[in-house]
Amino acid sequence: MAAEGANQLTAVVTLLTAAVIAVPLFKRLGLGSVLGYLVAGLAIGPFGLGLFSDSESIIHIAEFGVVMFLFIIGLEMKPSHIWGLRKHIFCVGAFQILIVGSAVVSLGILAGFAWEVAFIAGAGFTLTSTAIVMQELSDRGDMTSQRSQKIVSILLFEDLMIVPLLAFVAFLSPYHISSNEPVWMTLGIAGLSIALLVVAGIWLLNPLFKILAKAKTREVMTAAALLVVLGSALLMELGGLSMAMGAFLAGVLLSESSFRHQLEADVEPFRGLLLGLFFLSVGMSLDLSVVFDNWALVLLGVPVFMFTKSFCVYIVARLTKNNHAIAVDRAFIMCQGGEFGFVLFSTASMQGLIDENMQASMTAIVVLSMALTPLCLAAYKKYVIPRVARVATEPEADHIDAQHPTIIIGLGRFGQIVNHLLMMTGYHPTVIDKNAALVAGMKKRGIKSYYGDASRPELLRAAGIADAELLIVAIDDKKQALQIVELARKLNPQLKIIARAYDRLHVFDLYKVGADIQVRETFDSALRTGKKALEVMGMDKEVVDEVGRAYFYNDRHSVKLMAEVYNPNIDQFKNDAFLKIALENDQEAMLEIQQIINKEH
C-alpha cells in the first residue's frame, strides 16, 4: 500500500516537474504554453522516456480541464446572448462542417481509401480542438469579442454533432450489432438529458447556492461549484452528449446568478491545472513508432489536412461576410483536429470500420496537428499579421453581456481610479475603452471591461444607455468626449452625465452638449499643489485648507456663470461678458481669501 502511494506521488511530481520546466521555457521562446505541455507529455510518455505507460487513463481525467473551461465560458454568456447567436451556431457551424468535411472526405477517396474510412477520417479531422482554441482565445484576452464569440458558436455546434456522428459510425459497422435502442430513442435520451439540465439550472441551482451561502463555509461553496460542473458533465455523458456541452449549459444557466463571480473564482484554479494535464496527456498519446512505420502517410497527411481545413475555414468565413483579416485569423486558429477524433477513431476501430494501424495513424495525425498549431500561430503573429491587409483596421467591438446602471467610458489613468473607487464600494459599472490592448490587459488583472468605440450609438445601446442612471465619460479626447455626451443625452434625456474636461473651455463645451457635472482633469491636483506650496512657505495647515475651500467654491461658481455667456465662435479674450465675470470673480475670491488670512492674525 505504501509503495503504491509512493508511486502515485512520484507520478504527480513527475507531471508537475515536466510542466514547470517545459511551459516557461516554451513561453520564453514565444511558442506558447500549449506546445510546452505537448512536448513535455511526449518526453515523459510511453513513447518518450517511458515514465508513464497509460496515457489513456490520464487523458480521460484531464478532459475535465476542458469541461471546466467550457463552464467558465458559459458563465460569461447569458441565455439571451446564446439565442442571439443561434443563426451562427446552427447555420455557420453546419456550413463549416459540411465544407471542411466534404473536402477532407474527397481527398481521402482520391487517395484510394474506402469511402467509409475517408468519412471516419474526415469527421475526426473536421471537428476542432476546443481546448486549444479556447486556450488561445483566453491567452489573447479576446474571449468576449464578436470574432471570438463566432468561433465559440462553431465549436458548440461541433459538440452537438457528436451524437449523430457516433450513431452513423454504428450504422456503418459491418458487424451489424443489433441494438435494443432505435436511433429515435438515442436522440430522445440526449434531448431528455438537456431538458433535465435546463430544468435543474432554472429551478434548483440558484436556491441551492442561496442555502449554501447562508452557511458561510467557503469549502462547501467550492464543493458545490465542482458538483455542478461534474454533475452536468455526467448527465450529458449519460445522455450520449459531450461532457463539455453539459458544463457549458450549466454555466449559461448560472450566468445571470448573483453567485456567478464566486463560482468562476472557485472553478478557475482546477480548470488551469486540469487543462494543462490534458495537453500533457495528448502529448503522451503520440505513438512515435506509428509515425515511423507509416511516415509517408502521417507526414503527408498532417500538412495536407491542416492546409485543406484552413483553406475551407477561410472560405466559409469570407462567404459569411467576415473580412479578410478575421477570416485569416480563424483559419489559423482552427487548423487542427480535435480531441473528439480520438473517441471517433476508437469507436470506428471497435466497430470494424478501420483497423488498429489506421486508428493509430489517424490519431497521430490529429495529435501532430494539435502540436503544430502553436507553431503556426506563433508564425502567424510574427509574419502574417503585419502583412495582412486588414479591411477593418480595428478589431470588432466586444459583445457586452452585462448591463449596469452606471457606465464608464475610458479606462486610462483617469478612468481606472474612478472604476476602482466604485468597485471597492460595491458597484459594478459597465466599462468601455477603445484601446484593445488596454482592455485585454485589464481583463488579465481581473477588471472586466469591453473594447469598443463609445461614440457609436449601437455600442451605447448595447451597454444599456437607455436604462442607465449615470454615465461617466473619462476619456482624454476632447472632441470624442463631446460626441459621446451629446449622443448619450439624445438617447437618454434623464441620464446623469459626469464628464472629464481638459480645461475650462472644454468645461463650457461639455456644459453646452448636456453634461451635468464637468470635472477638469488637472484642477484638483493643481489646487493640491498650490496648497502644499503655501504650507512649505510657512502658512498654517488649517488656514491653507480654508483658503483652498474658498478658492475651490469661488472657481466653481465662476465657471458656471462663464459657461452661460461662453461663445466658442468668439475668442475668450474678446468676449466682454466673459471677461467681466472672470475679473469680478477673481476680485471676490481674493477679498475672501485675504479675510481668511487676516482673521488668523
Side-chain angles (χ1 to χ4, degrees):
M1 183 68 71
E4 183 179 349
N7 289 335
Q8 291 176 348
L9 184 59
T10 301
V12 172
V13 170
T14 303
L15 288 170
L16 293 175
T17 302
V20 167
I21 293 174
V23 174
L25 176 61
F26 275 75
K27 290 200 74 172
R28 184 68 179 257
L29 295 173
L31 301 176
S33 59
V34 174
L35 186 59
Y37 281 120
L38 293 171
V39 172
L42 175 62
I44 64 177
F47 310 107
L49 298 175
L51 301 179
F52 290 87
S53 58
D54 188 7
S55 60
E56 289 188 8
S57 61
I58 295 176
I59 200 171
H60 186 69
I61 296 173
E63 283 177 358
F64 288 112
V66 182
V67 168
M68 291 182 180
F69 207 149
L70 266 293
F71 177 73
I72 292 175
I73 298 304
L75 287 174
E76 299 293 331
M77 299 178 73
K78 293 183 178 180
S80 58
H81 180 42
I82 297 294
W83 180 250
L85 289 172
R86 64 190 184 280
K87 292 183 180 179
H88 211 87
I89 293 173
F90 293 101
C91 297
V92 179
F95 187 35
Q96 179 165 308
I97 286 180
L98 177 64
I99 297 298
V100 176
S102 299
V104 177
V105 170
S106 299
L107 285 175
I109 294 173
L110 289 174
F113 295 103
W115 75 268
E116 295 90 347
V117 175
F119 174 80
I120 299 299
F125 296 157
T126 298
L127 303 185
T128 311
S129 172
T130 301
I132 288 181
V133 173
M134 291 296 192
Q135 184 66 47
E136 172 63 20
L137 296 180
S138 178
D139 289 344
R140 292 180 181 184
D142 191 32
M143 196 68 75
T144 58
S145 70
Q146 291 185 15
R147 174 180 60 184
S148 298
Q149 295 292 295
K150 290 176 181 179
I151 293 175
V152 172
S153 300
I154 296 171
L155 295 176
L156 290 177
F157 184 81
E158 290 182 356
D159 277 345
L160 289 173
M161 290 300 295
I162 291 175
V163 171
L165 282 174
L166 289 175
F168 192 65
V169 167
F171 174 77
L172 292 177
S173 173
Y175 297 151
H176 299 293
I177 300 174
S178 60
S179 173
N180 295 325
E181 294 184 357
V183 174
W184 67 265
M185 185 176 291
T186 302
L187 297 176
I189 292 173
L192 180 62
S193 63
I194 294 177
L196 287 174
L197 181 57
V198 171
V199 169
I202 295 175
W203 284 290
L204 296 179
L205 293 184
N206 264 311
L208 170 66
F209 282 110
K210 286 180 181 178
I211 293 171
L212 295 176
K214 291 179 181 178
K216 296 181 179 179
T217 307
R218 178 65 185 272
E219 60 269 21
V220 174
M221 288 293 288
T222 302
L226 292 175
L227 174 62
V228 169
V229 177
L230 301 182
S232 57
L234 175 61
L235 180 60
M236 288 296 103
E237 189 173 45
L238 292 175
L241 295 166
S242 78
M243 294 188 295
M245 174 63 69
F248 177 81
L249 287 176
V252 170
L253 294 170
L254 286 167
S255 62
E256 295 180 322
S257 168
S258 56
F259 302 98
R260 178 168 68 94
H261 298 291
Q262 179 67 48
L263 290 169
E264 187 172 353
D266 288 338
V267 172
E268 179 66 28
F270 299 97
R271 189 275 299 178
L273 286 172
L274 288 174
L275 194 61
L277 182 59
F278 172 80
F279 291 126
L280 280 170
S281 59
V282 170
M284 293 180 197
S285 66
L286 180 59
D287 191 338
L288 293 179
S289 62
V290 171
V291 176
F292 293 139
D293 293 340
N294 302 277
W295 64 270
L297 174 63
V298 173
L299 295 185
L300 181 63
V302 172
V304 169
F305 152 65
M306 294 183 72
F307 175 80
T308 302
K309 183 172 184 180
S310 295
F311 179 75
C312 292
V313 168
Y314 174 85
I315 295 299
V316 170
R318 292 294 282 160
L319 290 176
T320 51
K321 300 180 180 180
N322 291 281
N323 64 48
H324 176 63
I326 291 175
V328 170
D329 182 73
R330 191 182 297 180
F332 272 91
I333 201 172
M334 302 186 79
C335 66
Q336 75 293 131
E339 46 275 358
F340 173 67
F342 307 148
V343 178
L344 187 67
F345 300 152
S346 177
T347 303
S349 177
M350 290 187 292
Q351 296 285 354
L353 286 168
I354 58 175
D355 57 31
E356 291 184 358
N357 187 61
M358 181 58 70
Q359 176 195 350
S361 298
M362 290 180 178
T363 301
I365 292 175
V366 171
V367 172
L368 283 173
S369 72
M370 294 170 73
L372 289 174
T373 298
L375 291 173
C376 293
L377 288 171
Y380 162 66
K381 293 171 185 175
K382 186 173 182 179
Y383 300 109
V384 179
I385 287 181
R387 300 183 182 183
V388 171
R390 298 187 179 185
V391 176
T393 56
E394 296 181 354
E396 292 183 80
D398 288 344
H399 169 77
I400 299 177
D401 57 3
Q403 296 180 351
H404 301 284
T406 301
I407 301 171
I408 297 178
I409 309 299
L411 196 56
R413 54 192 171 87
F414 192 96
Q416 285 178 36
I417 296 172
V418 178
N419 185 46
H420 280 160
L421 183 60
L422 293 181
M423 291 183 65
M424 290 175 182
T425 50
Y427 296 94
H428 297 282
T430 300
V431 184
I432 302 170
D433 197 288
K434 70 172 190 173
N435 184 331
L438 177 63
V439 169
M442 287 298 173
K443 286 177 181 176
K444 291 181 179 179
R445 283 186 54 193
I447 299 174
K448 188 167 185 178
S449 51
Y450 302 94
Y451 167 79
D453 184 353
S455 63
R456 292 170 167 259
E458 62 271 19
L459 186 67
L460 284 181
R461 291 193 185 99
I465 195 71
D467 300 316
E469 298 173 5
L470 173 64
L471 172 68
I472 302 171
V473 181
I475 61 176
D476 59 2
D477 187 319
K478 294 193 294 183
K479 184 177 180 181
Q480 191 173 48
L482 292 173
Q483 292 174 347
I484 293 171
V485 170
E486 186 174 15
L487 176 61
R489 179 57 68 209
K490 290 179 181 177
L491 295 175
N492 185 350
Q494 309 304 319
L495 182 69
K496 287 288 184 183
I497 302 176
I498 301 174
R500 169 185 177 180
Y502 175 76
D503 56 15
R504 186 174 294 223
L505 298 182
H506 194 212
V507 167
F508 304 148
D509 290 330
L510 289 167
Y511 174 81
K512 293 288 186 184
V513 296
D516 297 289
I517 299 173
Q518 313 84 25
V519 181
R520 278 172 282 168
E521 59 188 28
T522 59
F523 178 74
D524 291 304
S525 57
L527 182 56
R528 284 179 58 204
T529 302
K531 289 167 62 178
K532 291 294 183 184
L534 292 175
E535 289 183 43
V536 169
M537 290 186 289
M539 187 175 289
D540 185 77
K541 187 178 186 309
E542 292 183 1
V543 178
V544 169
D545 289 338
E546 192 172 353
V547 168
R549 281 193 298 271
Y551 183 87
F552 175 85
Y553 287 110
N554 272 279
D555 186 87
R556 191 170 70 170
H557 178 66
S558 72
V559 167
K560 182 178 179 180
L561 295 176
M562 293 167 73
E564 294 174 355
V565 300
Y566 171 68
N567 187 340
N569 297 319
I570 303 176
D571 186 277
Q572 60 174 317
F573 299 111
K574 296 180 180 179
N575 185 330
D576 293 336
F578 189 82
L579 288 173
K580 181 181 178 182
I581 293 173
L583 291 171
E584 288 177 352
N585 185 77
D586 285 348
Q587 291 172 358
E588 291 175 5
M590 182 179 294
L591 179 61
E592 183 177 355
I593 289 172
Q594 289 300 322
Q595 289 174 346
I596 293 171
I597 296 173
N598 293 332
K599 182 176 64 177
E600 300 298 325
H601 291 291

